[in-house]
Amino acid sequence: MSVSVVICAYTLDRWDQLALAMGSVAAQGSADETILVVDHNDELLERARARWPEARVMANEGSRGLSSARNTALRVAEGEIVAFLDDDAAADPGWLDTLVSGFTSESVVAVGGSAVPIWPGEAPAVLPDELLWIVGCSYRGLPTEPGPVRNVMGCSMAFRRVPLMAIGGFNADTGRVGKLPIGCEETEACIKLRQADPTSVVRYEPSASVRHHVSADRVRMAYVAHRSWCEGLSKAGIARTVGRADALSAESTYATRVLPAAVWRELRRGPRGLPAATAIVLSLGLAGAGYVRGRVARVRTGGPRASLTEKAPA
């Protein structure tokens, strides 16, 4: 199968990390093309075109935001499989081959990998393993072996292009815009793929690993709180489009089993475990409150969804 790898970038502040991401894709050696989409930043666009002439570097032709940038790449990608890597993540050797090998049959429409955090210093006490999703990394509660899952993780994932295009790509009303941590567009896409064809399968391949940089502003309790609130808003948004049962199918077990066990574990550690226990309780409470808020007030973070019927110019 032919494979396109997509990286989306929006800021020069991540230039060094973007260079690592692009280099890690080149080192895979198995991509048929690499597409870098720059989200409404002309300076970054020109610098990237000069730095990576071998790649297809293009501007986001839709509304500002990650979903529209990904959709821009989908419209021009030539691969049967389209893999996505974040601009602040670096793929480990064999990452792409492992993702592609997860498409074991025509029924597999998406394959996701794992992500390990690269901390700006010591691992923060307010981010125990159960809360690593807050910084876009694999968390305790995910499967440890390859197999079917509800959805993939945005920083390390691959889709069959045709089925993803058929559902309209990624929802620009759901995805992240700049630093605003509202997302779940890949969750929504995976659910829609299975709703469109109940025989479809989404797989998790934990050995397809990336290393995800975590910025210093994301290791504080304030970010845990903000990100958790926004997660609740995001889940409320996709519940409107795919239904509450599918939108929360994985979260129910996580909230009722994984998190209570984690709180108890941390409390047993005494004062050392208090920051982690507090963060877990705060995260759960704010995510729930955000969900309730999102259900009663429509949250819109992006512009109108771009049409995927035409290819965007390079």
Side-chain angles (χ1 to χ4, degrees), residues 20 31 43 56 63 70 73 128 157 224 237 245 282 294 306 312:
L20 291 174
E43 183 180 359
R56 188 167 193 172
S63 59
R70 286 171 170 168
M157 61 184 184
V224 172
L282 180 67

Side-chain angles (χ1 to χ4, degrees), residues 15 36 43-55 57:
W15 178 261
L36 172 59
E43 183 180 359
L44 176 58
L45 178 64
E46 293 307 311
R47 185 172 176 182
R49 281 176 170 164
R51 174 64 177 80
W52 294 289
E54 72 283 2
V57 181

Side-chain angles (χ1 to χ4, degrees), residues 24-312:
S24 72
V25 170
Q28 303 294 307
S30 53
D32 293 285
E33 64 173 348
T34 300
I35 303 172
L36 172 59
V37 182
V38 177
D39 188 16
H40 297 269
N41 186 325
D42 292 339
E43 183 180 359
L44 176 58
L45 178 64
E46 293 307 311
R47 185 172 176 182
R49 281 176 170 164
R51 174 64 177 80
W52 294 289
E54 72 283 2
R56 188 167 193 172
V57 181
M58 58 191 303
N60 175 11
E61 296 294 334
S63 59
R64 181 170 171 260
L66 180 56
S67 287
S68 291
R70 286 171 170 168
N71 289 342
T72 294
L74 280 174
R75 287 192 291 268
V76 303
E78 298 178 355
E80 300 169 67
I81 303 297
V82 181
F84 295 88
L85 178 70
D86 276 6
D87 63 335
D88 58 352
D92 287 340
W95 166 77
L96 187 58
D97 286 343
T98 304
L99 282 182
V100 174
S101 68
F103 291 91
T104 54
S105 69
E106 288 294 326
S107 63
V108 178
V109 292
V111 178
S114 62
V116 178
I118 300 177
W119 302 114
E122 293 185 2
V126 297
L127 284 170
D129 289 347
E130 289 81 4
L131 294 185
L132 290 183
W133 61 266
I134 287 175
V135 290
C137 292
S138 301
Y139 58 92
R140 182 174 291 153
L142 285 176
T144 57
E145 299 293 332
V149 290
R150 182 192 64 180
N151 62 272
V152 296
M153 187 177 355
C155 70
S156 174
M157 61 184 184
F159 289 84
R160 290 191 188 273
R161 179 176 176 271
V162 171
L164 184 57
M165 292 281 286
I167 63 165
F170 297 99
N171 188 347
D173 289 348
T174 305
R176 179 182 289 255
V177 178
K179 294 183 178 181
L180 182 64
I182 290 182
C184 293
E185 68 275 14
E186 59 276 347
T187 299
E188 182 180 11
C190 289
I191 294 172
K192 283 185 173 181
L193 284 167
R194 291 189 300 168
Q195 289 181 340
D197 181 358
T199 66
S200 296
V201 176
V202 176
R203 281 185 59 85
Y204 179 50
E205 292 286 345
S207 59
S209 180
V210 305
R211 288 160 288 124
H212 202 178
H213 291 86
V214 180
S215 57
D217 62 312
R218 297 185 180 185
V219 297
R220 304 177 184 134
M221 190 72 82
Y223 185 77
V224 172
H226 184 49
R227 177 69 180 86
S228 299
W229 168 261
C230 288
E231 182 71 7
L233 294 176
S234 301
K235 286 299 191 300
I238 69 170
R240 285 191 295 270
T241 60
V242 302
R244 181 179 180 275
D246 283 338
L248 300 180
S249 61
E251 285 73 15
S252 58
T253 299
Y254 172 74
T256 59
R257 297 182 184 179
V258 176
L259 292 186
V263 171
W264 176 240
R265 181 196 68 226
E266 295 300 330
L267 290 176
R268 291 177 63 186
R269 295 176 62 215
R272 292 182 305 161
L274 189 57
T278 301
I280 294 169
V281 173
L282 180 67
S283 176
L284 181 60
L286 285 175
Y291 178 82
V292 172
R293 171 62 176 165
R295 292 293 284 173
V296 299
R298 180 175 176 84
V299 176
R300 182 179 176 85
T301 62
R305 292 182 65 181
S307 170
L308 295 185
T309 58
E310 297 180 1
K311 290 198 171 190

